[in-house]
């Protein structure tokens, strides 16, 4: 057996890559290493390249990744010039053993009834001396003769997808193993406005460092995405002692939606409340994981400062000394001033772009 993986048809397993929300790739790398036992080779913004010993459905249960692929080829030396098009075509044609990749894909995604369907995706970000349509044409030309006869091209729910993704001078090409349930989850039956992406909520839950017997709070829970991911992490980490998960929102519909969404996930204590006056004991919570409303969600941007100020006073009251908070906010500088003034220390800050807005995912320690 080679170091690169258990042989399938006497061939080593190729690397895999995961796409993440830009900014959370290091958290995904930690999940790949610690929970999956994978070996992370490289991370780029929004991307982690890794190897596993054996290809099993466990790769599809990663929580912080949006999609996982078998790598056909990858490069971080694109030139941005038109000569890249030749590279895209010849690498797609010559580098991968497509039959082997397809067989590996079928291990995790057994054939469905009827004619096999496939789909090609070409994504491109950054300024290049060619258009995305040119890159796609080169990619399609490289794949000529590689797709088995009888497979039918389909734009909807294809069984097999081959993606080419170009970010500035980096390009990755691969066969998609995951489907939409990796990024959307199956528990999100109902939504509220500004509901968080589950993979980002999962990254926040991991960064909270949840342990046995802890009480974890989201005081502004919206549709309950963070609570769902906290319950998942708590289930994996705390077999020795139940974690108490507590959440609420000022909007009664949000509390209702959360209760619906958590039905398939696990128990939580939910209430309708004002996060600036929480019905919780002082120093009763070990972790706070939350994303307060972004300024643009309120009727007026001026309201967000006072709301964050009052909410921070409550976080400081209910959080135990030595406790930790993981927060996602667009108004990071104001939040930072408020928390630093209370003696909290910042441990980590990740910059993300969500719904086109820059925001910061930050980790805080309250002094012990
Ligand atoms: C950005 S959303 C949270 C989204 C949530 N993380 C999710 O994934 O669905 C912010 C939430 O804060 C709630 N909220 C605003 N002011 C509040 C207050 N004073 N007390 C409690 N909740 C509040 C809003 O109703 C909204 O659901």
């Amino acid at each position: 057996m080679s170091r690169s993986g258990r042989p399938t048809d006497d061939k080593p397993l190729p690397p895999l890559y995961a796409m993440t929300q830009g900014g959370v790739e290091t958290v995904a790398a930690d999940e790949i290493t610690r929970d999956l036992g994978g070996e992370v080779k490289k991370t780029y913004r929004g991307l982690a390249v890794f190897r596993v010993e054996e290809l099993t459905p466990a790769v599809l249960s990663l929580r912080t990744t949006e999609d996982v692929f078998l790598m056909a080829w990858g490069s971080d030396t694109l030139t941005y010039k038109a000569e890249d098009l030749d590279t895209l075509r010849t690498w797609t044609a010559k580098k991968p053993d497509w039959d082997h990749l397809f067989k590996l894909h079928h291990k995790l995604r057994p054939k469905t009834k009827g004619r096999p369907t496939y789909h090609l995706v070409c994504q491109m970000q950054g300024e290049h001396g060619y258009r995305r349509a040119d890159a796609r044409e080169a990619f399609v030309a490289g794949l000529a003769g590689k797709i088995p006869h009888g497979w039918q091209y389909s734009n909807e729910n294809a069984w097999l997808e081959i993606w080419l993704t170009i970010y500035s001078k980096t390009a990755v090409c691969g066969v998609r193993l995951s489907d939409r349930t990796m990024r959307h989850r199956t528990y999100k039956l109902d939504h509220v406005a500004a509901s968080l992406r589950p993979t980002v909520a999962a990254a926040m839950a991991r960064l909270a460092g949840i342990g046995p017997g802890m009480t974890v709070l989201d005081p502004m829970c919206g549709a309950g995405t963070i609570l769902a991911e906290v319950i998942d992490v708590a289930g994996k980490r705390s077999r020795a002692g139940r974690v108490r998960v507590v959440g609420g929102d000022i909007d009664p519909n949000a509390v209702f939606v959360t209760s619906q969404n958590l039905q398939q996930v696990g128990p939580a204590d939910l209430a309708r409340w004002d996060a600036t006056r929480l019905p919780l004991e002082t120093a009763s919570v070990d972790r706070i994981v939350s994303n307060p409303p972004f300024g643009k969600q309120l009727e007026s941007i001026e309201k967000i400062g006072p709301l964050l100020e009052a909410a921070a006073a409550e976080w400081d009251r209910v959080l135990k000394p030595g406790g930790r908070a993981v927060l996602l906010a667009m108004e990071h500088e104001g939040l930072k001033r408020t928390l630093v003034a209370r003696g909290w220390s910042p441990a980590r800050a990740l910059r993300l772009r969500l719904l086109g807005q820059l925001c910061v995912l930050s980790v805080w320690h309250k002094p012990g």
Side-chain angles (χ1 to χ4, degrees):
M1 187 169 82
S2 80
R3 184 176 141 64
S4 58
R6 190 163 292 178
T8 303
D9 300 339
D10 295 329
K11 290 174 183 165
L13 202 56
L16 278 74
Y17 62 93
M19 286 190 185
T20 71
Q21 191 67 30
V24 303
E25 55 284 340
T26 50
V27 188
D30 179 74
E31 185 186 15
I32 289 165
T33 311
R34 290 214 274 167
D35 295 19
L36 192 64
E39 191 185 349
V40 175
K41 294 293 184 187
K42 238 172 177 176
T43 57
Y44 302 87
R45 191 165 171 84
L47 187 71
V49 179
F50 64 102
R51 284 189 176 275
V52 285
E53 284 284 312
E54 196 179 354
L55 188 63
T56 70
V59 298
L60 302 180
S61 46
L62 289 166
R63 306 288 287 193
T64 57
T65 58
E66 300 264 314
D67 269 305
V68 174
F69 298 80
L70 284 162
M71 185 177 271
W73 60 264
S75 164
D76 50 15
T77 56
L78 290 188
T79 63
Y80 302 91
K81 297 184 192 141
E83 66 202 46
D84 285 346
L85 296 173
D86 258 349
T87 311
L88 300 179
R89 184 179 46 76
T90 47
W91 286 22
T92 304
K94 299 206 172 130
K95 285 217 169 206
D97 178 345
W98 288 107
D99 283 345
H100 181 49
L101 291 171
F102 295 157
K103 276 192 190 135
L104 290 167
H105 164 270
H106 308 344
K107 263 183 75 177
L108 294 196
R109 307 287 303 273
K111 265 189 193 137
T112 45
K113 277 197 189 137
R115 261 171 93 176
T117 52
Y118 74 100
H119 183 70
L120 305 180
V121 175
C122 176
Q123 301 172 317
M124 190 162 101
Q125 278 174 28
E127 290 280 310
H128 295 82
Y130 44 92
R131 298 166 308 154
R132 186 168 64 93
D134 303 324
R136 184 182 169 93
E137 204 173 290
F139 170 49
V140 171
L143 279 169
K146 310 291 180 192
I147 308 283
H149 283 300
W151 288 17
Q152 195 169 17
Y153 193 79
S154 166
N155 278 321
E156 294 278 325
N157 298 322
W159 167 58
L160 182 139
E161 292 181 13
I162 307 175
W163 287 38
L164 169 65
T165 304
I166 303 172
Y167 306 83
S168 304
K169 64 187 174 78
T170 304
V172 276
C173 177
V175 178
R176 188 185 188 201
L177 293 175
S178 49
D179 65 15
R180 62 184 298 283
T181 59
M182 174 172 266
R183 59 175 79 181
H184 294 299
R185 308 289 197 257
T186 46
Y187 64 75
K188 271 196 114 163
L189 305 174
D190 285 317
H191 288 269
V192 298
S195 189
L196 196 54
R197 291 179 87 96
T199 60
V200 175
M204 294 175 74
R206 284 189 77 80
L207 289 169
I210 295 164
M214 286 187 177
T215 296
V216 185
L217 166 72
D218 179 354
M220 296 170 158
C221 69
T225 322
I226 291 175
L227 296 175
E229 298 303 323
V230 162
I231 292 169
D232 180 79
V233 166
K236 286 178 186 147
R237 294 271 174 82
S238 59
R239 294 199 168 84
R242 192 170 103 73
V243 170
R244 182 173 173 231
V245 178
V246 184
D249 201 285
I250 202 161
D251 174 359
N253 184 52
V255 180
F256 172 72
V257 167
T258 296
S259 70
Q260 296 292 303
N261 284 341
L262 295 188
Q263 257 176 20
Q264 309 296 322
V265 181
D269 296 337
L270 302 177
R272 182 192 170 245
W273 62 34
D274 180 349
T276 64
R277 279 176 294 150
L278 290 170
L280 299 173
E281 304 258 316
T282 297
S284 59
V285 164
D286 299 275
R287 300 287 186 260
I288 294 172
V289 190
S290 196
N291 87 293
F294 294 153
K296 66 172 185 132
Q297 285 171 246
L298 298 181
E299 306 120 60
S300 103
I301 186 104
E302 291 77 39
K303 284 194 182 162
I304 192 72
L307 173 63
L308 287 181
E309 185 77 39
E314 274 300 78
W315 301 337
D316 193 37
R317 183 182 69 77
V318 300
L319 191 62
K320 291 179 187 170
R324 191 188 296 187
V326 182
L327 304 168
L328 179 71
M330 232 165 77
E331 296 75 11
H332 178 66
E333 287 310 313
L335 191 63
K336 192 165 144 188
R337 270 194 303 280
T338 308
L339 296 177
V340 168
R342 294 180 183 280
W344 289 25
S345 48
R348 204 159 162 186
L350 306 175
R351 276 163 213 290
L352 271 61
R353 185 178 279 279
L354 295 178
L355 302 169
Q357 304 291 320
L358 283 174
C359 47
V360 178
L361 195 174
S362 55
V363 182
W364 295 87
H365 289 147
K366 177 176 171 175

